[in-house]
Amino acid sequence: MKLVGIRPGEEKLAFLLFGYFFLITTPHTVIKALRTTDLLVKMGAGALPLAYLSAAVVTGLVVVFHSKIQSKISIRILIIASLVFFAVSGLALQFILQTETGRRSALLPYIYWVWAAVLIVVLITHFWMTVNEIFNPREAKRLIAFISSGGILGGILGGLLAGVLTRANQAGLLLPLACALLLACIFVVQAVFRDRQRLPVIAKPVPPGKVQPEASKVGFKDSFDAVRKNSYLVLIAAVVAIGVIVSTLIEFQFFSAASERYERANEMQAFFGFFFAGLTVFAFFLNAFLTGNFIKKLGVKLTVLLTPAVLLLCSVGVLIAPFGLIPALIIKGGDESLAFSLNQTVREILYIPVASALKFKAKPFIDMFISRAAKVVAAIILLVFALVLNKDVDYLTPIFDPGLAKQLSWMAIAFLIAWGVFSLRIGREYVDTINRSIKLKWDRVDQSVMEQIDVDSAKEIFDAVESRNRSAVLYAMHVFDLLQRDKLTPEIKNMISEKAGEVRVSSISDLFNAEGAPGVPETDEDIRQEDLVTDIREIMSLDAYQKLMEGHAGKVLAESQKSEVEKMELAKAIGLMSPDAPLTDRLVTLIDDHSPDVSGYALKSAARLKKQNYLPAIIRKLGNPLTREDAASALHKYGPAAMPALEGSLTDSRQDLNLRKAVVETLARIGTKEAAFALARELDQGRGELDPEIIDALDRIRTQKGDVQLPARSAKRKTLSLVHRYCRIFLDIQDLGPGEDIETARRRMERELEILFSDIFKLLGLYYPQEEIRKAYQNIETGTRNSIAYAIELLDNTLKRDIRDVIIPLVEDLSPSERRRSFQKILKNSP
């Protein structure tokens, strides 16, 4: 079971779906050989355009009917009713064919063709609707190759039956045998729906007398609107339509060549039977050994391009080589084998991200109506092509020149180029649809705080209020500071004043009450604030004031018994001066003061003055938990000017580790490109003791400043390094034995795995779209079963191969033994 991707609990359902597909593709292949031979022998290749046109029109009517009834009965009943109808009608058709008269001969081949076309479309659509409802993207990628193999084996058996029985002159048994297989399929369908208890039925039956709420919303127009209004579904419809047109043109070329080669019905029917069998053998090996690998290695975005690329090369080959059965057989073989394997598998995967209710409306419409409408377009192209290039053709009984069939390759090439363009778009849209299917569950806490709270303003208000309990001078300077920066709004005044007039702005005159100081005039509320600020600045710039403050500072700093409040007043006063003032050099002493409060005021003043000689002292204060926040805030305000000093401390392994961690936090606050690259260099070249802090800092920069280009190369190297470490720790845990000490070690190692897992995703967010990576991580950690599957699918289509191959095993739902083998392989392949 492991070989084919089936996990415990999935065996029964997987084999039932395998059998379901087998039992509809076997009769499908038999009927395809019968109806093709019947039409070509009786009417010739020239009848194909009219057959295509008739089948498309009738199938369109069936789609309308199907849209009306699919909301009124369960999908199980709908499938069973279809199987019964086609089995019974097939037997009736067999009776009519055996007793047909000359009058019916011209019409019956078309009826047979149309009946077979409707059968193929309806039964295949019902099957894939069921598969899409049962599996999420990850399950589909694992199991669709196996389930599709049932259809491919059915095609092999059907082709062999058609060829062998025809050669044995028992062709009359083929259609009854196909009908018997359709009836047998009913029992398998019943079992499938009994086994899928974990998911709701696609459309539940409506009890008598009650109206299903959604029923009135599902119909042909509603299905059309569902596709028209969804850009992703429009792209799927376009790819399906172009694929049908190209396949029809290629099929016409092939049938034309076969019609020229074989004249007898038995020979042609046997050829088609063995050809379809051989074709599906090739498709089986392609599906079993390449389809899954293509999807796994290339992802859906690139795999969708393979079919148009291969057919484009084949069409060019048909143009170059002499037209005959061999070139037509090769291009038809490529088209059919890819349609049965790669193309079908990828197309069904494309539907999986679509919401269930929307898919229920859109998928039958696209697979049945759009594909049939494309057949109409192809038929019209064939008719017009013949009329334009062959003037003697009678469109009522057309006879095509094989040379004209070759020229159809030009038309096929034009459509294949369009197919490639749409495939590129749908690959990108597929990832976007997966992305929209999962939600971001939380934001970084620091980001939320920064967005909702003006931390600096709140801190200034708090400091102003708190300073009133220390001294009126200190409080007055706070008020003046707010005033001169135009931040003393009426609201802030109310917040920092216990009552009106308790402390007036004029109290700042206390600063100048020392002998010889110039006086400050008494102020009242009528004095303009701008005038007051101008007057005080002029006073502070006077030489007399500077000389006075120099003497006062010398006394405060020289006398150890001076109170902290006086030092705080001095530090605040220096911060209000010009950076060129002589007294500002005294601030370094206050920054280094043993008192956290004094140092805090000095750090705030240093942040305002931004003098380079303060930086070593400020950085030293990062090592003290009591002054760390003020020091980090000051350095943040320095911005790029602080970068050389900060990077020097970051890379100096002799520095205290806590100080270096604080440097990392400060660089994250600065958040410039230079800060990010300084962190990245340490992440790449450092010894690893700061890795968690640096990774979180880079993630913070990426989150808050998405326009900052981060160094992807070093982040990628570190990602691989952490993945290898994660794998080693996981394997070490698996090797642990019993014991209390062992359990303690196990818990510690499991906690380390959690941290590593988080850090790996933070690193991925540095060089891939961060929101997509965060969505994936959050849903893998806390999501539902389906959201986890979508998250992994998003990663699978976002990450490049070298990273994807080591990340997916970390998140995929694997058994312990499978995970162990995957991790051992990762470590073995590590450089």
Side-chain angles (χ1 to χ4, degrees):
M1 293 301 100
K2 293 178 182 178
L3 184 63
V4 291
I6 300 175
R7 293 181 180 167
E10 297 175 339
E11 299 92 338
K12 183 178 179 182
L13 190 57
F15 276 100
L16 284 172
L17 289 169
F18 178 96
Y20 178 8
F21 206 16
F22 176 84
L23 288 173
I24 60 175
T25 53
T26 302
H28 159 215
T29 309
V30 169
I31 291 168
K32 185 165 66 171
L34 293 175
R35 65 97 187 253
T36 303
T37 302
D38 189 68
L39 183 73
L40 292 179
V41 169
K42 293 178 180 177
M43 307 300 295
L48 285 169
L50 184 58
Y52 293 143
L53 193 61
S54 303
V57 171
V58 173
T59 306
L61 296 174
V62 171
V63 171
V64 175
F65 176 70
H66 188 279
S67 299
K68 290 183 179 297
I69 66 171
Q70 71 176 359
S71 60
K72 294 180 170 56
I73 61 175
S74 71
I75 188 65
R76 180 179 65 87
I77 298 298
L78 190 59
I79 293 172
I80 292 173
S82 300
L83 290 168
V84 171
F85 169 79
F86 287 115
V88 172
S89 60
L91 292 173
L93 188 60
Q94 171 74 4
F95 175 77
I96 294 171
L97 287 169
Q98 288 179 341
T99 59
E100 66 176 312
T101 64
R103 185 179 178 182
R104 297 193 197 110
S105 297
L107 187 60
L108 271 177
Y110 290 103
I111 294 175
Y112 199 175
W113 184 280
V114 170
W115 173 82
V118 173
L119 176 145
I120 291 166
V121 170
V122 170
L123 296 189
I124 296 297
T125 298
H126 285 168
F127 172 77
W128 287 114
M129 282 176 66
T130 304
V131 170
N132 270 278
E133 282 300 312
I134 290 175
F135 299 121
N136 62 43
R138 305 306 297 172
E139 293 168 331
K141 280 192 173 182
R142 279 191 295 104
L143 297 173
I144 277 183
F146 171 75
I147 294 168
S148 297
S149 298
I152 292 172
L153 290 176
I156 295 171
L157 178 61
L160 289 175
L161 285 173
V164 171
L165 290 180
T166 300
R167 286 272 179 90
N169 294 320
Q170 299 295 322
L173 298 176
L174 287 171
L175 189 54
L177 180 59
C179 294
L181 291 172
L182 292 177
L183 291 174
C185 188
I186 294 172
F187 299 98
V188 177
V189 171
Q190 290 276 37
V192 167
F193 281 89
R194 279 197 305 268
D195 196 61
R196 60 184 292 246
Q197 298 297 320
R198 59 192 176 93
L199 287 174
V201 177
I202 296 175
K204 297 180 180 179
V206 183
K210 293 188 178 181
V211 178
Q212 187 178 1
E214 293 293 325
S216 60
K217 299 182 181 179
V218 180
F220 180 82
K221 185 178 184 302
D222 190 57
S223 297
F224 172 74
D225 289 340
V227 175
R228 179 177 60 85
K229 295 177 180 178
N230 187 292
S231 61
Y232 181 60
L233 290 174
V234 168
L235 287 172
I236 292 179
V239 168
V240 168
I242 293 173
V244 169
I245 292 172
V246 170
S247 292
T248 304
L249 299 179
I250 290 172
E251 184 178 76
F252 177 81
Q253 291 177 313
F254 173 66
F255 287 159
S256 295
S259 182
E260 284 292 310
R261 179 70 175 270
Y262 299 101
E263 295 182 359
R264 296 178 56 189
N266 282 356
E267 290 179 354
M268 185 182 295
Q269 188 163 291
F271 165 73
F272 283 139
F274 289 123
F275 171 73
F276 291 142
L279 190 65
T280 44
V281 168
F282 177 70
F284 174 79
F285 286 104
L286 179 64
N287 196 62
F289 299 106
L290 294 178
T291 298
N293 286 327
F294 280 143
I295 295 172
K296 182 178 178 182
K297 301 298 184 184
L298 301 179
V300 174
K301 287 194 298 184
L302 293 179
T303 307
V304 293
L305 292 169
L306 289 178
T307 297
V310 170
L311 295 182
L312 183 62
L313 291 174
C314 290
S315 294
V316 172
V318 170
L319 279 175
I320 295 173
F323 186 77
L325 185 60
I326 298 302
L329 188 147
I330 291 173
I331 190 170
K332 176 63 176 175
D335 178 43
E336 284 281 319
S337 58
L338 289 171
F340 268 114
S341 54
L342 188 68
N343 198 33
Q344 181 68 54
T345 300
V346 171
R347 193 168 76 185
E348 298 310 319
I349 289 174
L350 291 176
Y351 278 114
I352 290 172
V354 181
S356 180
L358 183 59
K359 180 164 52 185
F360 180 56
K361 300 174 187 177
K363 191 176 190 308
F365 179 81
I366 293 174
D367 289 356
M368 297 171 73
F369 181 79
I370 295 295
S371 61
R372 294 309 98 185
K375 278 283 187 182
V376 171
V377 173
I380 293 172
I381 289 172
L382 289 171
L383 287 171
V384 171
F385 199 85
L387 291 172
V388 170
L389 295 183
N390 189 350
K391 305 298 183 182
D392 299 325
V393 71
D394 179 356
Y395 68 91
L396 294 177
T397 57
I399 301 173
F400 275 67
D401 181 351
L404 300 180
K406 178 175 182 175
Q407 300 306 313
L408 283 173
S409 292
W410 289 111
M411 189 68 67
I413 288 170
F415 279 106
L416 285 166
I417 292 172
W419 187 350
V421 172
F422 280 115
S423 294
L424 284 172
R425 291 186 58 190
I426 204 171
R428 292 191 294 266
E429 190 69 21
Y430 171 77
V431 177
D432 292 342
T433 304
I434 290 284
N435 191 16
R436 290 192 295 269
S437 299
I438 56 177
K439 305 298 180 185
L440 197 64
K441 294 180 177 291
W442 66 83
D443 291 320
R444 285 185 61 105
V445 175
D446 48 16
Q447 181 186 12
S448 300
V449 170
M450 292 295 292
E451 288 175 352
Q452 298 177 28
I453 301 174
D454 185 349
V455 178
D456 289 340
S457 296
K459 201 169 188 311
E460 287 179 346
I461 295 168
F462 175 81
D463 289 344
V465 173
E466 189 267 344
S467 69
R468 292 169 50 196
N469 299 321
R470 297 182 182 274
S471 77
V473 172
L474 201 55
Y475 174 69
M477 284 191 287
H478 272 290
V479 173
F480 171 68
D481 191 14
L482 291 170
L483 188 65
Q484 70 170 344
R485 289 186 291 127
D486 202 24
K487 288 192 174 184
L488 194 61
T489 62
E491 292 78 13
I492 292 179
K493 284 182 181 179
N494 292 333
M495 292 174 66
I496 64 177
S497 297
E498 290 184 354
K499 58 186 178 187
E502 178 181 348
V503 180
R504 306 185 66 83
V505 174
S506 60
S507 64
I508 199 169
S509 62
D510 293 340
L511 279 170
F512 315 105
N513 282 343
E515 183 179 355
V520 177
E522 290 292 326
T523 64
D524 56 39
E525 294 183 1
D526 293 330
I527 295 178
R528 292 178 59 207
Q529 292 184 359
E530 293 85 350
D531 294 338
L532 180 60
V533 169
T534 300
D535 291 342
I536 294 175
R537 284 177 176 169
E538 288 179 357
I539 293 170
M540 294 176 69
S541 66
L542 294 174
D543 291 340
Y545 172 75
Q546 290 292 326
K547 187 179 296 185
L548 175 67
M549 289 301 297
E550 180 69 31
H552 177 67
K555 292 179 181 179
V556 169
L557 296 176
E559 298 177 16
S560 58
Q561 68 270 24
K562 287 292 183 180
S563 69
E564 289 184 356
V565 172
E566 290 178 286
K567 292 181 180 180
M568 291 159 64
E569 290 172 350
L570 178 60
K572 183 67 178 178
I574 292 173
L576 296 175
M577 296 177 183
S578 166
D580 298 328
L583 192 59
T584 56
D585 291 335
R586 298 269 193 170
L587 195 60
V588 173
T589 304
L590 294 168
I591 293 173
D592 284 329
D593 195 90
H594 68 278
S595 167
D597 292 330
V598 173
S599 183
Y601 269 88
L603 288 166
K604 292 181 181 70
S605 293
R608 177 165 301 171
L609 298 173
K610 296 184 177 66
K611 298 185 71 170
Q612 285 292 312
N613 62 311
Y614 297 159
L615 286 172
I618 298 174
I619 291 174
R620 284 195 296 271
K621 287 298 176 178
L622 289 172
N624 185 344
L626 298 177
T627 56
R628 184 172 296 151
E629 176 58 32
D630 287 329
S633 178
L635 291 165
H636 177 216
K637 291 173 181 175
Y638 265 79
M643 280 300 307
L646 284 169
E647 186 168 6
S649 297
L650 176 66
T651 57
D652 188 354
S653 59
R654 297 169 298 177
Q655 293 275 17
D656 177 70
L657 185 60
N658 288 326
L659 185 148
R660 295 174 69 203
K661 289 181 179 180
V663 169
V664 172
E665 160 68 15
T666 304
L667 290 170
R669 288 192 186 190
I670 293 173
T672 60
K673 178 180 178 180
E674 292 75 15
F677 273 76
L679 290 167
R681 282 191 290 272
E682 178 62 21
L683 183 70
D684 199 28
Q685 302 169 12
R687 296 186 298 181
E689 66 269 27
L690 294 175
D691 281 1
E693 288 76 18
I694 293 176
I695 292 169
D696 188 67
L698 289 169
D699 179 66
R700 177 176 171 181
I701 294 172
R702 175 77 160 169
T703 301
Q704 295 178 355
K705 300 182 179 180
D707 57 333
V708 174
Q709 294 297 315
L710 298 175
R713 185 176 299 177
S714 58
K716 184 176 178 180
R717 280 198 295 266
K718 183 57 69 171
T719 302
L720 295 173
S721 173
L722 294 192
V723 168
H724 296 153
R725 184 177 167 193
Y726 185 100
C727 293
R728 285 191 291 270
I729 294 174
F730 177 88
L731 295 175
D732 289 343
I733 292 175
Q734 301 302 304
D735 294 334
L736 291 176
E740 185 175 342
D741 292 341
I742 298 299
E743 283 304 311
T744 302
R746 186 191 304 276
R747 287 193 294 271
R748 176 182 56 77
M749 294 166 75
E750 287 174 347
R751 174 56 185 158
E752 188 173 357
L753 285 182
E754 292 176 7
I755 296 172
L756 283 172
F757 191 74
S758 174
D759 286 346
I760 287 168
F761 274 85
K762 287 177 181 177
L763 285 168
L764 290 174
L766 300 182
Y767 52 101
Y768 287 105
Q770 190 191 40
E771 184 174 345
E772 294 179 14
I773 298 298
R774 289 173 62 200
K775 278 185 179 181
Y777 169 75
Q778 292 175 9
N779 282 274
I780 289 169
E781 285 288 278
T782 62
T784 63
R785 173 178 164 273
N786 275 342
S787 67
I788 291 172
Y790 282 122
I792 297 173
E793 182 69 7
L794 179 62
L795 289 175
D796 205 3
N797 287 277
T798 300
L799 306 179
K800 291 184 179 179
R801 180 179 173 182
D802 57 340
I803 296 296
R804 182 175 65 234
D805 287 348
V806 299
I807 295 297
I808 295 300
L810 270 61
V811 298
E812 191 76 272
D813 182 19
L814 303 174
S815 67
S817 59
E818 289 174 324
R819 196 177 301 278
R820 184 182 185 90
R821 286 194 296 271
S822 297
F823 287 3
Q824 288 172 338
K825 182 178 178 182
I826 290 172
L827 292 174
K828 182 180 179 181
N829 294 334
S830 63

